[in-house]
Amino acid sequence: MSTVMQAGPLAPLDLPAPTDVTAAQLRGAHCVWCAGELHGDTAVDLEPRHDSINGVPGRWYPRGCRSCILQPVLLLVRTHPGTCEQCTDDATLCETRHALRALALELRR
Ligand SMILES: [Zn+2]
Ligand SMILES: [Zn+2]
């Protein structure tokens, strides 16, 4: 049996290539954008990514700090509906849109 990985709402975020970041950034200890040290209450999980790392298929666990992730998330909130069939159909039923808006609200606090 294989489990299909469902792409989360943050999957379309543009991240640095895994080959361009440090080991600490690969495991989510440092912000994937600014390389700042992360703590539980300031870190935002960006969902595990599957990428080829130095030619080896691998998984990494990018995380970002709140100040780095706010703008990309706000941008996703704006651009998501144009890329989503569910939103074209009935945006109130789109879980991705709900998740993005909830995250944006949370980050702005
Ligand atoms: Zn950062
Ligand atoms: Zn949608």
Side-chain angles (χ1 to χ4, degrees):
M1 262 217 340
S2 70
T3 319
V4 179
M5 276 276 292
Q6 270 247 282
L10 297 179
L13 272 188
D14 265 331
L15 299 182
T19 43
D20 290 344
V21 301
T22 66
Q25 284 171 304
L26 282 179
R27 60 171 197 272
H30 291 175
C31 173
V32 72
W33 288 288
C34 72
E37 201 175 321
L38 293 171
H39 303 281
D41 52 340
T42 57
V44 179
D45 264 312
L46 301 171
E47 300 160 12
R49 307 272 169 148
H50 297 270
D51 279 298
S52 173
I53 300 170
N54 298 323
V56 183
R59 181 189 262 228
W60 58 302
Y61 303 87
R63 295 202 300 172
C65 63
R66 284 169 172 252
S67 50
C68 283
I69 199 178
L70 178 60
Q71 288 310 320
V73 166
L74 291 178
L75 186 69
L76 266 190
V77 169
R78 281 207 306 276
T79 56
H80 165 79
T83 65
C84 176
E85 262 180 58
Q86 179 62 66
C87 282
T88 315
D89 211 33
D90 183 353
T92 58
L93 294 180
C94 179
E95 279 175 28
T96 305
R97 182 169 167 275
H98 282 302
L100 286 171
R101 293 175 81 103
L103 181 61
L105 275 181
E106 159 99 28
L107 290 171
R108 276 172 141 166
R109 254 192 242 143

